[in-house]
Amino acid sequence: MPETRGESRWRRILRQIFVTGPEYPSRRIARRVTFITLLGLSAVFGAMCGLMLVYSIDLPQMEDLARYRPNTTTELLDTHGRVFGSFALERRVVVPYAAFSPVLREAIISIEDKSFERNWGVNLVRAVGAAYRDLNSNGRSQGASTLTMQLARNLFLSSEKTFSRKLEEIFLSVQIERRFTKQQIFELYANQIYLGHGTYGFEAGSEFFFSKHARDLTLPEAALLAALPKGPEAYSPLKYPERALRRRNLVLSEMASDGKITEQQAEAAKAAPLGLRLEAPVNSVAPYFVEEVRRQLEKEYGVEQVHGAGLRVYTTLDLDLQLVANKAVLDGLATYERRREWVGKLQNVVRQGTDLGSYRHPDWTQTVAKGSYIHGLVTELSPRKIVVKVGAREAVMTPDDWAWTEHYSAERFLQVGDIVYVRIEDCPPEGALRATLQQDSGAQASLMAVDNSNGEVLAMVGGRDFALSQFNRATQAQRQVGSSFKPYVYTTAIEAGEKPTDIVVDSPTSFPTPNGWYTPHNYEADYRGPMTLLSAFAESRNIPALKLAAKYGIRKVIETAHRFGIVSNIPAFLPVAIGSADITLAEQVGAYSVFPNDGILIEPHTIRKVVQADGLPLDHTPSGVSEVISVETARTMMQMLQAVVRQGTAVAASQLNHPLGGKTGTTNDYADAWFLGFSPSVTCGTWIGFDNRQSLGKKETGAKAALPMWMSFMRAAIADKPDETFASAGSPKKTLAVPMNSGAAPAAGAKPKDDDESDPDAPAGKPKSADVQ
């Protein structure tokens, strides 16, 4: 074709490429192919750029990752700085790169991303394979991606299995590699990855599975943890130990293949067992206390911050005293149950259609140790032998271990499939446990102790078994208090001018009420005639207390109780004076601490301070402190409360040979038994009863059922204070560890309920009575 004047350069090129001519046909064909190829590549490149633009618009910026802080565990510390509990949306312990042992890093890289140190975040061959498997399988194919791609997916992307999501993962990985060093990427990955059982990151996984830090892992242990990201549930060493062992050994083989370890090291590690040493269950030492702390923290700071911000909560708990409290309550319940004799009426899982091999009791999450009380499943039975399954282990009992039941043959009172309650007497590392048969008939108990000088709650037990019942009987159960209410009656009388040496007549008496005459009687059903107020109080006589309440007015007595921090509703009728009101143990303990504190009420509290992950403290509401009664009134009442221990209903406590005071309480039909008491430094209260308010049994008084638990605890609480004494008349006022707040709210910080409200539990037509001790 002839060339025309003014023909453009591009037209000449196109004409040369596409217009055929007699000369050089092969060159023209080559030119055409080259042009078409370049045009196609340009189109592909343009499409890829478009895709990158589209998919990168909504991707997180790398500045977000630089500021990223994963959810971390909030830890609770006791007064000595020991961690005893935690809260977490995700159980995670964030540590720096150096805290991961070299053997762990090598194990992870060998099984998850061999080219990690060399690649730029994406292995194209593996990425294509991963995308294909994501789209054609229901399982996770995490191991097919690089560590950087796994990090991008876990941090920012959904679990949706599409090519678009895989492209986003690739783009993100490239950006991460450009912004962060390999050490930073590994650190982010190792703190983020899920390892099963609610555990995130290799430090938390190491603590959970092996009770050690990640820096201290052995080769077999490191290989097992490195095996888990591929399938945390599928390879769980708890659920599928054989499968986990095979996967661990594959990691060891890969490490040997990569030259990270020798073949001899690999074979020696493969011969090792899984070697799990599971961490003690979280919050198992003081679960009721932990729940109280959680509720308060969530109220002040919100759920998200409490469970995910990695707070350090410095609590008032003394871990050593808490362990003593746990033992005191469980031993006290066991002693009571043996006095009750064998009740039986056991749950039987076989009759319920449950397979023995698949049954799991809620108790079995706790650590089995010598002295622990736990429920077990009877799996074998003969006249002279009982075999009980306790979690993953077995306990054996012989006739001496159930002799208290007065049954010679086990087959006469037990069956295979029965759920029994046992105490572990010997716990060897291997082999059968030795246990004694106990009884859980439903009786419950609670204990709470505070430091008198500052109101800090040192120990709290809210029931027999938190795994079975989270209801806190120390703070939530309102129970009739019996004669433990009498200090408020006598305080009212002392404030009105009465003296401990004044005489009151203990004789048959009737009191007029709107519903007719009320004729009470003493616990002993006898009358002592004229006696001093001190003796009447120490011996817990009912008639003198009622006479004092009638003389000064029951409403005045109730007003006194509210000043002491009692916020529960107290109906205004006379039997309240001898304990027919329902009050919580926590209220009573706080109130009783007023006496050794020279009349000062410090609101019991569980938290000292809260610190953020960066070390900065959070604002925390201080405890209320107020003067309730005068020093003179407090010290006069101390004379009477000490007389209870020296010569009254709690004389058994005098064997502790320490300055002590307190008051017993027993209610109608022995439904509740109490003891509230104190040393100069600690106030403690104990309660025992049934949730359904059935009788504990005849003569199960506060002195018999509740006082022994109190004594067991106080023996430890006063052990390092042999020289402490109560303030005497004329001595300076006691100095407290907290400042006074004028007009502070009463303990528990709640407004007292209307005293005129009717009591729903009071029988119609007559006042609710409490024939108490």
Side-chain angles (χ1 to χ4, degrees):
M1 180 179 294
E3 182 175 334
T4 61
R5 182 183 295 273
E7 183 178 36
S8 69
R9 182 165 175 255
W10 282 107
R11 286 187 65 185
R12 288 198 305 272
I13 292 173
L14 291 173
R15 183 168 57 80
Q16 290 174 5
I17 292 174
F18 289 103
V19 178
T20 59
E23 298 180 319
Y24 310 115
S26 60
R27 179 179 294 179
R28 294 191 184 96
I29 293 172
R31 287 175 178 173
R32 293 173 187 174
V33 170
T34 300
F35 180 81
I36 293 170
T37 301
L38 290 173
L39 190 62
L41 289 173
S42 298
V44 171
F45 179 76
M48 291 294 294
C49 290
L51 285 172
M52 289 185 67
L53 178 63
V54 169
Y55 286 114
S56 64
I57 287 176
D58 294 328
L59 289 179
Q61 298 300 308
M62 288 303 98
E63 288 75 13
D64 296 335
L65 181 56
R67 295 190 298 268
Y68 172 72
R69 295 294 181 271
N71 287 326
T72 51
T73 302
T74 288
E75 294 183 329
L76 308 186
L77 294 85
D78 84 332
T79 54
H80 303 289
R82 296 170 291 189
V83 176
F84 67 90
S86 64
F87 312 124
L89 296 173
E90 300 173 350
R91 175 167 173 70
R92 186 197 317 273
V93 181
V94 175
V95 295
Y97 177 83
F100 301 107
S101 64
V103 68
L104 176 61
R105 297 197 295 265
E106 290 166 354
I108 294 168
I109 291 172
S110 286
I111 195 65
E112 290 293 326
D113 187 3
K114 292 180 183 296
S115 63
F116 173 68
E117 298 292 347
R118 303 185 305 275
N119 66 42
W120 42 277
V122 179
N123 184 317
L124 290 178
V125 175
R126 297 179 70 198
V128 171
Y132 176 81
R133 281 187 288 274
D134 276 350
L135 292 173
N136 293 277
S137 70
N138 294 322
R140 297 180 63 180
S141 54
Q142 188 177 68
S145 302
T146 65
L147 292 188
T148 312
M149 291 172 71
Q150 292 180 47
L151 176 64
R153 176 196 311 141
N154 291 332
L155 286 179
F156 299 119
L157 302 177
S158 69
S159 57
E160 181 185 13
K161 296 180 179 180
T162 63
F163 276 112
S164 63
R165 199 224 31 134
K166 182 58 69 174
L167 283 173
E168 290 178 331
E169 186 178 306
I170 292 171
F171 297 150
L172 262 177
S173 300
V174 174
Q175 291 186 48
I176 290 171
E177 287 282 343
R178 291 181 59 192
R179 175 66 171 77
F180 298 96
T181 66
K182 288 292 185 180
Q183 285 192 4
Q184 290 173 320
I185 293 170
F186 185 91
E187 179 182 318
L188 285 166
Y189 168 84
N191 282 313
Q192 178 66 28
I193 199 68
Y194 182 59
L195 300 178
H197 304 282
T199 301
Y200 292 79
F202 286 99
E203 175 66 18
S206 180
E207 293 178 7
F208 176 76
F209 288 108
F210 300 111
S211 297
K212 63 171 62 174
H213 295 295
R215 64 174 178 266
D216 301 322
L217 291 170
T218 64
L219 174 58
E221 292 167 346
L224 178 60
L225 290 185
L228 297 179
K230 173 74 174 177
E233 302 302 328
Y235 296 111
S236 166
L238 301 183
K239 295 180 179 179
Y240 310 107
E242 293 182 1
R243 196 183 296 173
L245 188 66
R246 290 195 298 270
R247 175 72 180 170
R248 182 203 70 177
N249 291 346
L250 173 62
V251 174
L252 293 168
S253 296
E254 292 297 320
M255 293 179 73
S257 176
D258 294 341
K260 302 294 178 62
I261 59 175
T262 65
E263 289 293 341
Q264 291 79 6
Q265 289 175 314
E267 291 305 315
K270 288 179 182 179
L274 290 178
L276 300 179
R277 292 183 297 278
L278 296 182
E279 186 180 40
V282 178
N283 307 334
S284 61
V285 176
Y288 294 99
F289 182 91
V290 169
E291 275 299 289
E292 286 300 308
V293 171
R294 180 189 63 78
R295 276 193 282 266
Q296 183 175 344
L297 289 173
E298 289 180 358
K299 182 179 179 180
E300 288 195 44
Y301 308 117
V303 174
E304 185 173 343
Q305 186 168 17
V306 170
H307 292 264
L311 305 177
R312 288 177 69 81
V313 183
Y314 293 86
T315 75
T316 64
L317 187 88
D318 185 314
L319 190 55
D320 297 324
L321 289 180
Q322 179 64 41
L323 293 170
V324 173
N326 293 343
K327 185 176 186 300
V329 167
L330 293 175
D331 286 350
L333 282 166
T335 301
Y336 161 73
E337 294 279 11
R338 291 194 177 202
R339 285 199 303 267
R340 248 195 124 195
E341 300 182 346
W342 182 253
V343 176
K345 300 179 182 178
L346 302 175
Q347 175 191 358
N348 188 285
V349 300
V350 173
R351 290 197 298 268
Q352 295 173 345
T354 303
D355 178 66
L356 291 178
S358 62
Y359 178 79
R360 298 289 183 274
H361 194 278
D363 262 6
W364 295 354
T365 58
Q366 69 174 276
T367 302
V368 178
K370 182 178 179 180
S372 60
Y373 291 81
I374 191 168
H375 290 85
L377 172 66
V378 177
T379 56
E380 296 180 33
L381 198 64
S382 68
R384 309 281 293 170
K385 181 180 177 182
I386 305 171
V387 178
V388 177
K389 182 179 180 182
V390 180
R393 303 191 66 178
E394 287 188 339
V396 176
M397 292 183 286
T398 57
D400 286 344
D401 300 320
W402 69 77
W404 67 272
T405 67
E406 298 184 357
H407 289 284
Y408 177 76
S409 171
E411 291 179 331
R412 299 194 61 179
F413 70 107
L414 292 177
Q415 295 178 338
V416 170
D418 281 345
I419 302 299
V420 294
Y421 193 55
V422 300
R423 183 180 190 272
I424 304 302
E425 304 296 342
D426 189 22
C427 187
E430 297 181 356
L433 309 171
R434 193 177 74 79
T436 53
L437 184 64
Q438 305 295 325
Q439 180 168 239
D440 179 1
S441 66
Q444 294 287 348
S446 57
L447 180 152
M448 178 171 152
V450 300
D451 185 325
N452 294 336
S453 67
N454 52 29
E456 293 186 347
V457 177
L458 301 172
M460 178 187 290
V461 181
R464 181 196 291 263
D465 192 335
F466 187 80
L468 297 181
S469 172
Q470 290 77 52
F471 181 67
N472 190 336
R473 295 157 189 85
T475 62
Q476 295 174 295
Q478 292 182 315
R479 303 291 298 222
Q480 276 197 7
V481 293
S483 288
S484 66
F485 190 86
K486 289 176 182 174
Y488 314 124
V489 177
Y490 280 78
T491 296
T492 303
I494 296 298
E495 286 186 317
E498 300 276 0
K499 298 179 177 59
T501 54
D502 288 345
I503 300 299
V504 62
V505 179
D506 179 22
S507 61
T509 308
S510 294
F511 300 91
T513 73
N515 297 316
W517 288 93
Y518 167 49
T519 304
H521 55 80
N522 293 313
Y523 169 77
E524 295 83 359
D526 63 359
Y527 303 95
R528 294 282 304 277
M531 59 192 311
T532 64
L533 293 187
L534 188 146
S535 296
F537 183 85
E539 297 177 24
S540 200
R541 310 296 288 186
N542 288 340
I543 303 302
L546 287 163
K547 284 186 173 181
L548 291 173
K551 179 178 180 180
Y552 296 105
I554 191 61
R555 291 183 184 277
K556 185 67 175 176
V557 172
I558 293 170
E559 180 185 310
T560 299
H562 285 325
R563 277 194 285 131
F564 273 73
I566 304 299
V567 298
S568 294
N569 175 50
I570 305 177
F573 56 77
L574 194 58
V576 163
I578 55 174
S580 65
D582 289 344
I583 301 174
T584 67
L585 177 66
E587 291 174 272
Q588 288 277 74
V589 170
Y592 269 64
S593 69
V594 168
F595 298 115
N597 274 348
D598 274 347
I600 303 300
L601 170 63
I602 308 175
E603 180 182 346
H605 55 281
T606 57
I607 298 172
R608 286 181 169 180
K609 66 177 179 177
V610 181
V611 177
Q612 300 176 88
D614 59 8
L616 296 176
L618 289 173
D619 291 336
H620 178 60
T621 305
S623 300
V625 182
S626 59
E627 185 170 8
V628 173
I629 54 177
S630 67
V631 175
E632 293 74 19
T633 299
R635 293 184 179 178
T636 300
M637 285 300 303
M638 285 293 294
Q639 298 176 36
M640 306 178 79
L641 290 157
Q642 290 180 79
V644 173
V645 175
R646 283 197 306 267
Q647 65 197 55
T649 55
V651 68
S654 63
Q655 65 184 264
L656 295 180
N657 296 316
H658 197 85
L660 300 170
K663 188 72 188 72
T664 54
T666 310
T667 64
N668 269 349
D669 199 27
Y670 306 98
D672 301 270
W674 298 75
F675 187 75
L676 281 300
F678 44 76
S679 67
S681 55
V682 175
T683 296
C684 175
T686 54
W687 165 88
I688 183 171
F690 286 86
D691 287 343
N692 62 5
R693 299 181 185 256
Q694 75 182 65
S695 175
L696 288 165
K698 193 169 180 61
K699 301 297 182 181
E700 291 293 343
T701 62
K704 186 176 184 180
L707 179 60
M709 294 186 291
W710 185 90
M711 292 172 59
S712 294
F713 176 82
M714 290 299 290
R715 186 174 284 109
I718 63 178
D720 60 345
K721 304 175 181 70
D723 300 323
E724 65 176 354
T725 59
F726 290 120
S728 58
S731 63
K733 187 174 182 179
K734 184 175 181 179
T735 301
L736 302 179
V738 292
M740 279 278 287
N741 298 334
S742 59
K751 179 182 177 182
K753 299 178 183 177
D754 186 358
D755 296 335
D756 292 324
E757 292 178 12
S758 61
D759 185 349
D761 295 327
K766 64 176 182 179
K768 183 174 171 186
S769 177
D771 298 326
V772 292
Q773 179 189 40

